[in-house]
Amino acid sequence: MEKAVSKIPEFRQYYLSEFEFFDGDEFITFNIVGINVTRNTVAIAVSDRGKISIIDFELMADKDGNLYFEYGCTFKKIYLDDFTEV
C-alpha cells in the first residue's frame, strides 16, 4: 500500500506550525519541527504537562489524501491541515 505522503507541499508551509489538543484533562501543544519525506515521518515537539519531547510520528494519508499522524493510547488522528502558523 503506497502512501501519498510524498505529495507533501513545500515543507515551509508546515514548519513550526502549532496545534493544541485537549486530552480531556490538559492541553497538549504540538509544533512541527521537520518532515522526512523518504521515511514518511514528521518530527513533532510535544509539550505535555510541562514536559517537552521531540517525537517522530509516522505520516499517513486518509482516503481523501489528507496527511495525519496518530497520537496517544487512543490513536487520535492529528491532521497536518489543522496546524496554524504561530
Side-chain angles (χ1 to χ4, degrees):
M1 181 172 103
E2 186 175 327
K3 297 177 184 161
V5 174
S6 61
K7 297 179 182 176
I8 294 176
E10 191 166 333
F11 169 67
R12 290 179 208 158
Q13 170 184 335
Y14 294 110
Y15 184 66
L16 289 182
S17 295
E18 183 174 282
F19 177 74
E20 285 190 345
F21 169 68
F22 186 70
D23 69 353
D25 204 22
E26 295 284 333
F27 279 98
I28 300 169
T29 305
F30 299 97
N31 292 91
I32 296 177
V33 178
I35 295 177
N36 187 330
V37 179
T38 57
R39 291 182 45 215
N40 292 336
T41 60
V42 59
I44 303 285
V46 181
S47 302
D48 185 3
R49 293 166 178 82
K51 181 179 174 185
I52 300 173
S53 305
I54 297 180
I55 304 171
D56 284 337
F57 292 98
E58 180 183 358
L59 271 178
M60 295 172 262
D62 63 9
K63 63 181 177 179
D64 297 325
N66 298 319
L67 300 173
Y68 69 92
F69 62 92
E70 296 176 334
Y71 180 76
C73 59
T74 60
F75 300 106
K76 171 71 177 157
K77 291 182 182 180
I78 308 290
Y79 285 89
L80 295 188
D81 290 339
D82 293 339
F83 282 73
T84 57
E85 286 189 42
V86 190

